[in-house]
Amino acid sequence: MKNKFSILLLFFSIVTFSQSTENLKIATKKYYEANYLMDFETIVSLSHPLMVKTIGKDLMLEKLDKYYENEEYRLREQLETLTFQYGTVKKIEGKSFCVITFRNPMRYFFETKLTTEAAADKANWLKQINKSKEVTFEPKRNSFNVKRTTTYLAVMDETTINEWKFFNLDDANQLASFQTIFGESIKKRIGFIKK
């Protein structure tokens, strides 16, 4: 009887983990698609609720809008579908975490025609904010193609009602929010603090 119970428990653990992994992949795709389509309401709904509360929903929507389009430039993600690289799902203090990375080319269209000198300055700025060395200016389009790696952190815990929710760790506000919400031991075990 004890053996049957152990086998049954193992079976349910495997099924639950498989469902959780499949749900993670579906949620990641939805989160990226919302960014690609600039569907800010969906981005907020798929973001970690404590982060949304910390930043404030209205302020988050405003920042997303200005991030993608402002007086200086328009930003567009270039690929509709991507290949996501999933790290190991880590269960820490009753919460599940997964780091997701992917190559994510972006295009910045500048509103004012850039001179050669201004383009060089903007290229340096884009390299810095995107943490990328692959920034190419296209004078005819007055735009920059930026090849970069994006990092999402998926979290499933009691505040997410056991659904996967996200932090976009390339966004300074979301990264700061993550750093505030979670303790040092969690950050260390995820790999954000060197041991």
Side-chain angles (χ1 to χ4, degrees):
M1 185 70 168
K2 194 174 183 181
N3 255 353
K4 286 182 181 180
F5 179 74
S6 296
I7 292 170
L8 195 58
L9 187 61
L10 178 64
F11 174 75
F12 282 120
S13 295
I14 291 169
V15 169
T16 301
F17 180 76
S18 295
Q19 287 176 339
S20 177
T21 303
E22 188 57 34
N23 289 343
L24 172 60
K25 290 178 179 180
I26 291 167
T28 303
K29 186 176 181 215
K30 283 182 186 175
Y31 188 66
Y32 175 76
E33 284 175 353
N35 279 277
Y36 177 79
L37 298 171
M38 298 183 306
D39 180 354
F40 305 138
E41 287 286 343
T42 300
I43 293 170
V44 170
S45 74
L46 292 170
S47 295
H48 194 277
L50 292 179
M51 176 188 65
V52 175
K53 184 177 178 183
T54 300
I55 295 172
K57 181 180 177 181
D58 291 339
L59 182 58
M60 192 170 169
L61 288 168
E62 182 182 323
K63 286 181 179 287
L64 284 165
D65 188 41
K66 285 185 180 174
Y67 173 72
Y68 280 97
E69 197 158 349
N70 54 58
E71 293 173 3
E72 188 177 9
Y73 64 81
R74 289 170 285 126
L75 171 63
R76 299 296 180 263
E77 303 204 14
Q78 295 186 64
L79 300 178
E80 193 169 346
T81 56
L82 295 164
T83 302
F84 300 105
Q85 302 295 317
Y86 294 89
T88 304
V89 174
K90 296 182 180 181
K91 192 99 168 153
I92 308 167
E93 298 177 16
K95 304 169 189 330
S96 297
F97 298 89
C98 184
V99 176
I100 304 155
T101 57
F102 55 98
R103 295 284 290 158
N104 186 18
M106 314 281 276
R107 184 170 300 279
Y108 290 79
F109 297 92
F110 281 82
E111 301 300 339
T112 304
K113 185 72 175 159
L114 297 175
T115 63
T116 304
E117 186 178 288
D121 289 342
K122 294 296 181 197
N124 289 330
W125 173 70
L126 290 169
K127 286 177 185 177
Q128 182 183 7
I129 67 166
N130 287 289
K131 299 177 185 97
S132 174
K133 293 179 181 175
E134 298 179 64
V135 175
T136 308
F137 181 57
E138 296 180 10
K140 289 182 181 179
R141 298 174 89 178
N142 200 45
S143 69
F144 288 88
N145 185 28
V146 178
K147 293 181 182 173
R148 70 177 199 179
T149 300
T150 292
T151 303
Y152 291 163
L153 176 66
V155 181
M156 183 170 56
D157 62 17
E158 66 282 353
T159 64
T160 70
I161 313 169
N162 291 320
E163 293 179 1
W164 289 104
K165 299 293 181 174
F166 298 89
F167 290 86
N168 180 345
L169 298 180
D170 295 335
D171 180 292
N173 294 309
Q174 293 188 37
L175 177 60
S177 183
F178 162 73
Q179 299 281 8
T180 301
I181 292 167
F182 295 103
E184 300 300 307
S185 65
I186 287 177
K187 289 182 271 192
K188 186 181 284 187
R189 290 177 64 191
I190 293 172
F192 287 100
I193 297 176
K194 301 293 181 210
K195 296 175 183 172

